[in-house]
Amino acid sequence: MTDQKRYAPIIGKLRDAGLRPTRQRIALAELMFRGEDRHISAEMLHNEATAARVSVSLATVYNTLHQFTQAGLLREIAVEAGRSYFDTNTSDHHHFYFENDGHLEDVASNDVVVSSLPTPPGGAKISRVDVVIRVRED
Amino acid sequence: MTDQKRYAPIIGKLRDAGLRPTRQRIALAELMFRGEDRHISAEMLHNEATAARVSVSLATVYNTLHQFTQAGLLREIAVEAGRSYFDTNTSDHHHFYFENDGHLEDVASNDVVVSSLPTPPGGAKISRVDVVIRVRED
DNA sequence: CAACGGATTAGAATCGTTCTAATTTTGGAA
DNA sequence: TTCCAAAATTAGAACGATTCTAATCCGTTG
């Protein structure tokens, strides 16, 4: 199988988003989207790339995470000030946040039900509803 | 009215938390808790103190916000990576987050109903559930 | 295959926050 | 009151995450 074909799905998504399928973006996409859904920080991804002998600068990791987020391939999650996480699962779902070690886990999508949402003030439009269940393990 | 009496309620709360009622803590508490509920960052509070001719260092503002949070007088909110907000309303409620300008507003407490919460994995205990309704004004 | 513009990069810069070590203030004991 | 130990404050340095800069590189299109 050629690389052309092997990476065809992600290359298509990049093109759709107006992003050139560069060596770095393809490698980072491979690392993030293979296997199951993940919650990853810039530093974590950069370390993984290094471990996989993919040479990418930290600046490019940041650029790529933001571009993928804008393209709808990732979703940014804010649970603690000072560090951003990116979720490879962009479908509508919520999170457990483990206060002890700061890691995130998905909540099975039907296990949280938000009934009755308020109307935003001043004619604002809801763009997303985030539910974070903060938990502690003792 | 003497200052003793004027500041009696906040002084009592500080003492309950094992915090000495210093000039700085009393002044910051005055600024934060007078008027209605607020969502304030360290920098905002420091600017307000300066504007009110209260001399407090930024380090003390940070210390005070964290101590008040631990004492249950404030609640920390994480909505955007890189900046912490502190909510003077510690009762159970949720927030609108205005993506345009980054400000927060309370949701009337009964306007969001989270029915059916999941059981956390691994015997973890829920410490809090945060709902953030992200909105955009166009 | 030339060349235009987008992408990557190292390193500097910036931002919010925390730390450090010295000084000041507080509250209680004598 | 005065004194002391502990707590609190402070300026400034340090820090970690992120963004910026401006030079170089590489993809795409013609």
PDB file of all heavy atoms in Angstrom, chain B residues 1-19:
ATOM      1  N   MET B   1     -20.023  54.776  62.682  1.00  0.00           N
ATOM      2  CA  MET B   1     -19.752  53.316  62.776  1.00  0.00           C
ATOM      3  C   MET B   1     -18.241  53.066  62.698  1.00  0.00           C
ATOM      4  O   MET B   1     -17.552  53.564  61.817  1.00  0.00           O
ATOM      5  CB  MET B   1     -20.448  52.606  61.622  1.00  0.00           C
ATOM      6  CG  MET B   1     -20.518  51.114  61.812  1.00  0.00           C
ATOM      7  SD  MET B   1     -20.990  50.298  60.266  1.00  0.00           S
ATOM      8  CE  MET B   1     -22.451  49.420  60.796  1.00  0.00           C
ATOM      9  N   THR B   2     -17.737  52.311  63.605  1.00  0.00           N
ATOM     10  CA  THR B   2     -16.305  52.015  63.593  1.00  0.00           C
ATOM     11  C   THR B   2     -15.992  50.965  62.533  1.00  0.00           C
ATOM     12  O   THR B   2     -16.865  50.217  62.106  1.00  0.00           O
ATOM     13  CB  THR B   2     -15.855  51.451  64.948  1.00  0.00           C
ATOM     14  OG1 THR B   2     -16.531  50.204  65.151  1.00  0.00           O
ATOM     15  CG2 THR B   2     -16.236  52.386  66.082  1.00  0.00           C
ATOM     16  N   ASP B   3     -14.734  50.918  62.149  1.00  0.00           N
ATOM     17  CA  ASP B   3     -14.323  49.901  61.181  1.00  0.00           C
ATOM     18  C   ASP B   3     -14.531  48.511  61.757  1.00  0.00           C
ATOM     19  O   ASP B   3     -14.924  47.584  61.052  1.00  0.00           O
ATOM     20  CB  ASP B   3     -12.853  50.102  60.810  1.00  0.00           C
ATOM     21  CG  ASP B   3     -12.714  51.200  59.750  1.00  0.00           C
ATOM     22  OD1 ASP B   3     -13.762  51.809  59.403  1.00  0.00           O
ATOM     23  OD2 ASP B   3     -11.589  51.427  59.286  1.00  0.00           O
ATOM     24  N   GLN B   4     -14.271  48.403  63.041  1.00  0.00           N
ATOM     25  CA  GLN B   4     -14.525  47.136  63.738  1.00  0.00           C
ATOM     26  C   GLN B   4     -15.896  46.591  63.376  1.00  0.00           C
ATOM     27  O   GLN B   4     -16.033  45.450  62.965  1.00  0.00           O
ATOM     28  CB  GLN B   4     -14.514  47.362  65.259  1.00  0.00           C
ATOM     29  CG  GLN B   4     -13.160  47.202  65.916  1.00  0.00           C
ATOM     30  CD  GLN B   4     -12.722  45.756  65.985  1.00  0.00           C
ATOM     31  OE1 GLN B   4     -13.438  44.855  65.546  1.00  0.00           O
ATOM     32  NE2 GLN B   4     -11.518  45.533  66.491  1.00  0.00           N
ATOM     33  N   LYS B   5     -16.910  47.444  63.529  1.00  0.00           N
ATOM     34  CA  LYS B   5     -18.287  47.001  63.273  1.00  0.00           C
ATOM     35  C   LYS B   5     -18.573  46.860  61.786  1.00  0.00           C
ATOM     36  O   LYS B   5     -19.177  45.894  61.343  1.00  0.00           O
ATOM     37  CB  LYS B   5     -19.267  47.994  63.913  1.00  0.00           C
ATOM     38  CG  LYS B   5     -19.405  47.800  65.410  1.00  0.00           C
ATOM     39  CD  LYS B   5     -20.403  48.782  65.985  1.00  0.00           C
ATOM     40  CE  LYS B   5     -20.417  48.720  67.503  1.00  0.00           C
ATOM     41  NZ  LYS B   5     -21.025  49.935  68.087  1.00  0.00           N
ATOM     42  N   ARG B   6     -18.096  47.849  61.059  1.00  0.00           N
ATOM     43  CA  ARG B   6     -18.343  47.876  59.620  1.00  0.00           C
ATOM     44  C   ARG B   6     -17.877  46.588  58.940  1.00  0.00           C
ATOM     45  O   ARG B   6     -18.532  46.061  58.050  1.00  0.00           O
ATOM     46  CB  ARG B   6     -17.601  49.091  59.045  1.00  0.00           C
ATOM     47  CG  ARG B   6     -17.603  49.238  57.563  1.00  0.00           C
ATOM     48  CD  ARG B   6     -17.163  50.675  57.228  1.00  0.00           C
ATOM     49  NE  ARG B   6     -16.635  50.802  55.880  1.00  0.00           N
ATOM     50  CZ  ARG B   6     -17.350  50.585  54.769  1.00  0.00           C
ATOM     51  NH1 ARG B   6     -18.609  50.207  54.872  1.00  0.00           N
ATOM     52  NH2 ARG B   6     -16.801  50.725  53.583  1.00  0.00           N
ATOM     53  N   TYR B   7     -16.730  46.084  59.368  1.00  0.00           N
ATOM     54  CA  TYR B   7     -16.156  44.919  58.711  1.00  0.00           C
ATOM     55  C   TYR B   7     -16.393  43.627  59.480  1.00  0.00           C
ATOM     56  O   TYR B   7     -15.840  42.596  59.157  1.00  0.00           O
ATOM     57  CB  TYR B   7     -14.651  45.123  58.513  1.00  0.00           C
ATOM     58  CG  TYR B   7     -14.328  46.328  57.668  1.00  0.00           C
ATOM     59  CD1 TYR B   7     -13.333  47.213  58.038  1.00  0.00           C
ATOM     60  CD2 TYR B   7     -15.057  46.581  56.497  1.00  0.00           C
ATOM     61  CE1 TYR B   7     -13.045  48.325  57.252  1.00  0.00           C
ATOM     62  CE2 TYR B   7     -14.774  47.689  55.716  1.00  0.00           C
ATOM     63  CZ  TYR B   7     -13.777  48.562  56.097  1.00  0.00           C
ATOM     64  OH  TYR B   7     -13.494  49.645  55.323  1.00  0.00           O
ATOM     65  N   ALA B   8     -17.227  43.689  60.501  1.00  0.00           N
ATOM     66  CA  ALA B   8     -17.436  42.536  61.376  1.00  0.00           C
ATOM     67  C   ALA B   8     -17.759  41.248  60.635  1.00  0.00           C
ATOM     68  O   ALA B   8     -17.152  40.217  60.913  1.00  0.00           O
ATOM     69  CB  ALA B   8     -18.507  42.855  62.404  1.00  0.00           C
ATOM     70  N   PRO B   9     -18.693  41.273  59.657  1.00  0.00           N
ATOM     71  CA  PRO B   9     -19.047  40.008  59.013  1.00  0.00           C
ATOM     72  C   PRO B   9     -17.863  39.357  58.310  1.00  0.00           C
ATOM     73  O   PRO B   9     -17.610  38.167  58.497  1.00  0.00           O
ATOM     74  CB  PRO B   9     -20.108  40.429  57.985  1.00  0.00           C
ATOM     75  CG  PRO B   9     -20.611  41.751  58.440  1.00  0.00           C
ATOM     76  CD  PRO B   9     -19.480  42.406  59.146  1.00  0.00           C
ATOM     77  N   ILE B  10     -17.116  40.133  57.526  1.00  0.00           N
ATOM     78  CA  ILE B  10     -16.009  39.526  56.804  1.00  0.00           C
ATOM     79  C   ILE B  10     -14.886  39.117  57.764  1.00  0.00           C
ATOM     80  O   ILE B  10     -14.278  38.063  57.610  1.00  0.00           O
ATOM     81  CB  ILE B  10     -15.482  40.461  55.688  1.00  0.00           C
ATOM     82  CG1 ILE B  10     -14.333  39.782  54.920  1.00  0.00           C
ATOM     83  CG2 ILE B  10     -15.039  41.796  56.213  1.00  0.00           C
ATOM     84  CD1 ILE B  10     -14.728  38.536  54.187  1.00  0.00           C
ATOM     85  N   ILE B  11     -14.679  39.914  58.800  1.00  0.00           N
ATOM     86  CA  ILE B  11     -13.654  39.552  59.781  1.00  0.00           C
ATOM     87  C   ILE B  11     -13.981  38.215  60.430  1.00  0.00           C
ATOM     88  O   ILE B  11     -13.115  37.354  60.600  1.00  0.00           O
ATOM     89  CB  ILE B  11     -13.501  40.666  60.849  1.00  0.00           C
ATOM     90  CG1 ILE B  11     -12.830  41.893  60.214  1.00  0.00           C
ATOM     91  CG2 ILE B  11     -12.691  40.177  62.036  1.00  0.00           C
ATOM     92  CD1 ILE B  11     -12.687  43.083  61.149  1.00  0.00           C
ATOM     93  N   GLY B  12     -15.247  38.024  60.735  1.00  0.00           N
ATOM     94  CA  GLY B  12     -15.671  36.757  61.316  1.00  0.00           C
ATOM     95  C   GLY B  12     -15.383  35.588  60.393  1.00  0.00           C
ATOM     96  O   GLY B  12     -14.865  34.555  60.820  1.00  0.00           O
ATOM     97  N   LYS B  13     -15.684  35.786  59.106  1.00  0.00           N
ATOM     98  CA  LYS B  13     -15.463  34.697  58.158  1.00  0.00           C
ATOM     99  C   LYS B  13     -13.980  34.382  58.012  1.00  0.00           C
ATOM    100  O   LYS B  13     -13.582  33.224  57.863  1.00  0.00           O
ATOM    101  CB  LYS B  13     -16.050  35.061  56.790  1.00  0.00           C
ATOM    102  CG  LYS B  13     -17.548  34.859  56.745  1.00  0.00           C
ATOM    103  CD  LYS B  13     -18.131  35.257  55.409  1.00  0.00           C
ATOM    104  CE  LYS B  13     -19.652  35.230  55.477  1.00  0.00           C
ATOM    105  NZ  LYS B  13     -20.266  35.908  54.314  1.00  0.00           N
ATOM    106  N   LEU B  14     -13.164  35.428  58.029  1.00  0.00           N
ATOM    107  CA  LEU B  14     -11.724  35.206  57.941  1.00  0.00           C
ATOM    108  C   LEU B  14     -11.237  34.424  59.157  1.00  0.00           C
ATOM    109  O   LEU B  14     -10.505  33.442  59.027  1.00  0.00           O
ATOM    110  CB  LEU B  14     -10.990  36.554  57.850  1.00  0.00           C
ATOM    111  CG  LEU B  14     -11.180  37.319  56.540  1.00  0.00           C
ATOM    112  CD1 LEU B  14     -10.453  38.658  56.594  1.00  0.00           C
ATOM    113  CD2 LEU B  14     -10.683  36.503  55.358  1.00  0.00           C
ATOM    114  N   ARG B  15     -11.682  34.834  60.314  1.00  0.00           N
ATOM    115  CA  ARG B  15     -11.251  34.139  61.531  1.00  0.00           C
ATOM    116  C   ARG B  15     -11.695  32.681  61.506  1.00  0.00           C
ATOM    117  O   ARG B  15     -10.931  31.782  61.869  1.00  0.00           O
ATOM    118  CB  ARG B  15     -11.832  34.830  62.769  1.00  0.00           C
ATOM    119  CG  ARG B  15     -11.175  36.156  63.072  1.00  0.00           C
ATOM    120  CD  ARG B  15     -11.219  36.453  64.580  1.00  0.00           C
ATOM    121  NE  ARG B  15     -10.889  37.848  64.872  1.00  0.00           N
ATOM    122  CZ  ARG B  15      -9.652  38.341  64.822  1.00  0.00           C
ATOM    123  NH1 ARG B  15      -8.647  37.569  64.464  1.00  0.00           N
ATOM    124  NH2 ARG B  15      -9.436  39.611  65.105  1.00  0.00           N
ATOM    125  N   ASP B  16     -12.920  32.462  61.067  1.00  0.00           N
ATOM    126  CA  ASP B  16     -13.410  31.076  60.970  1.00  0.00           C
ATOM    127  C   ASP B  16     -12.497  30.230  60.102  1.00  0.00           C
ATOM    128  O   ASP B  16     -12.328  29.029  60.319  1.00  0.00           O
ATOM    129  CB  ASP B  16     -14.823  31.030  60.370  1.00  0.00           C
ATOM    130  CG  ASP B  16     -15.855  31.591  61.352  1.00  0.00           C
ATOM    131  OD1 ASP B  16     -15.494  31.809  62.534  1.00  0.00           O
ATOM    132  OD2 ASP B  16     -17.006  31.810  60.934  1.00  0.00           O
ATOM    133  N   ALA B  17     -11.913  30.865  59.081  1.00  0.00           N
ATOM    134  CA  ALA B  17     -11.064  30.121  58.159  1.00  0.00           C
ATOM    135  C   ALA B  17      -9.619  30.086  58.644  1.00  0.00           C
ATOM    136  O   ALA B  17      -8.745  29.560  57.959  1.00  0.00           O
ATOM    137  CB  ALA B  17     -11.127  30.755  56.774  1.00  0.00           C
ATOM    138  N   GLY B  18      -9.368  30.651  59.818  1.00  0.00           N
ATOM    139  CA  GLY B  18      -8.007  30.661  60.334  1.00  0.00           C
ATOM    140  C   GLY B  18      -7.138  31.698  59.652  1.00  0.00           C
ATOM    141  O   GLY B  18      -5.918  31.586  59.644  1.00  0.00           O
ATOM    142  N   LEU B  19      -7.766  32.710  59.066  1.00  0.00           N
ATOM    143  CA  LEU B  19      -7.011  33.754  58.359  1.00  0.00           C
ATOM    144  C   LEU B  19      -7.064  35.052  59.149  1.00  0.00           C
ATOM    145  O   LEU B  19      -8.138  35.508  59.527  1.00  0.00           O
ATOM    146  CB  LEU B  19      -7.613  33.983  56.964  1.00  0.00           C
ATOM    147  CG  LEU B  19      -7.611  32.798  55.995  1.00  0.00           C
ATOM    148  CD1 LEU B  19      -8.427  33.116  54.760  1.00  0.00           C
ATOM    149  CD2 LEU B  19      -6.185  32.424  55.611  1.00  0.00           C
TER     150      LEU B  19
END
